[in-house]
Amino acid sequence: MEKININGLSLAYDRRGKGTPLVLIHGFPLDHTTWNETAVLLEDTFDLIMPDLRGFGQSTTISEAYAIDDMATDIAGLLDHLGIEKAGIVGHSMGGYVALAFARLHPTHVRGLGLVSSQVLADSPERKQGRYDMAAKVGGNGVGVVADAMAPKLSADARVQEFVRDLIMRQSPAGVMGALKAMAEREDSTSLLALLKFAIVILHGNADELIPVDRSREMKAAIVHAEFVELKGIGHMPMMEDTKRTAETLRLLK
Ligand code: MLT
């Protein structure tokens, strides 16, 4: 992986393929490797940029609290470093929150937006409290509590579940806690939807146990020009559970 120093941390990214620049942003508490299988199907058409968000994978983090907007600013800095003026920005789940923040903060750098298993809504007060409680548990006991709570919900597919469990166990407590707090404090992006004029693709499995498919149906209802693909029987990890249809859908951002 390549690394750049930016915003007080080291940001790692994988880059492969040739063509239209497309950033693939991973979800919580994972890293860019969740995109690997889908990337194989896209690298003939796209210049794929797959960062590890701050605090995940091979990227470091900072000790101060940070926001989803800061993660979006890291990506903007990375594109700037690479000399890329405009890119398709795709985010999975928490990566979708980052992609939405990127679209709000840097609209002129967006060619198109892809939201995979994500949503525009902010946390309910209960969900927010749950994130702080989980962060405290991670501080006391490590990332195993998150792996236990999340792995079964991320996918019903045993192969994918084992992959994500191993991946979560390799993440740093500081990164996981930082992202939990950033997600808890993120803003509601509903009003942004009407402002998004570029191509938008929305992908969601209807067996998602973490973010219900209704969140994507609602986004589609609010953005007339969006392409919405609903995957039957697929959980929260379409890029691993149905790589073919995920790649086909993201190809629309060409
Ligand atoms: C994710 O998969 O990135 C997270 O589950 C999103 C969330 O907790 O809101």
Side-chain angles (χ1 to χ4, degrees):
M1 286 185 93
E2 302 285 326
K3 290 184 181 169
I4 59 163
N5 290 321
I6 189 164
N7 304 328
L9 51 97
S10 168
L11 193 78
Y13 64 98
D14 196 2
R15 189 178 190 188
R16 58 175 103 153
K18 268 203 178 77
T20 309
L22 190 70
V23 181
L24 300 176
I25 309 173
H26 65 81
F28 172 87
L30 307 168
D31 70 19
H32 81 282
T33 59
T34 50
W35 286 109
N36 279 349
E37 295 172 5
T38 293
V40 171
L41 305 180
L42 292 172
E43 62 192 1
D44 60 343
T45 311
F46 294 98
D47 173 4
L48 297 172
I49 297 131
M50 302 189 289
D52 281 344
L53 290 170
R54 59 166 72 188
F56 294 99
Q58 294 186 42
S59 292
T60 61
T61 189
I62 55 171
S63 51
E64 299 83 47
Y66 44 89
I68 292 290
D69 284 7
D70 295 311
M71 293 176 163
T73 301
D74 294 343
I75 308 285
L78 173 60
L79 291 182
D80 193 37
H81 169 83
L82 298 174
I84 295 173
E85 180 65 22
K86 256 186 197 297
I89 308 288
V90 176
H92 169 235
S93 198
M94 176 183 75
Y97 311 157
V98 177
L100 286 162
F102 188 101
R104 175 167 44 78
L105 296 169
H106 309 282
T108 57
H109 297 300
V110 183
R111 240 189 98 86
L113 187 68
L115 297 170
V116 179
S117 319
S118 197
Q119 60 180 339
V120 283
L121 299 185
D123 281 355
S124 64
E126 299 74 39
R127 182 96 181 97
K128 195 166 169 168
Q129 188 55 47
R131 304 240 199 230
Y132 281 100
D133 294 346
M134 183 58 88
K137 283 188 198 155
V138 172
N141 304 310
V143 296
V145 284
V146 181
D148 288 345
M150 283 190 75
K153 291 188 182 164
L154 281 162
S155 178
D157 178 323
R159 180 190 74 92
V160 178
Q161 211 179 101
E162 195 183 326
F163 176 92
V164 292
R165 175 176 286 280
D166 286 355
L167 192 54
I168 296 171
M169 292 307 292
R170 291 201 298 275
Q171 303 308 316
S172 77
V176 170
M177 290 161 73
L180 279 165
K181 292 175 187 171
M183 286 195 288
E185 299 302 330
R186 77 185 188 280
E187 59 183 77
D188 188 295
S189 296
T190 305
S191 61
L192 180 70
L193 294 182
L195 307 174
L196 303 177
K197 300 297 175 215
F198 31 69
I200 301 187
V201 299
I202 299 170
L203 182 71
H204 215 124
N206 72 359
D208 190 330
E209 286 191 37
L210 275 169
I211 299 181
V213 69
D214 278 349
R215 296 295 88 77
S216 280
R217 292 179 182 152
E218 290 154 10
M219 285 196 283
K220 166 59 192 164
I223 325 172
V224 186
H225 72 280
E227 289 285 342
F228 174 40
V229 175
E230 186 169 321
L231 299 174
K232 212 165 158 232
I234 296 297
H236 194 63
M237 300 292 299
M239 74 291 283
M240 294 191 70
E241 295 178 51
D242 192 343
T243 44
K244 198 162 158 273
R245 291 208 57 203
T246 301
E248 262 169 28
T249 307
L250 297 183
R251 244 174 222 288
L252 298 173
L253 292 173
K254 190 170 157 246

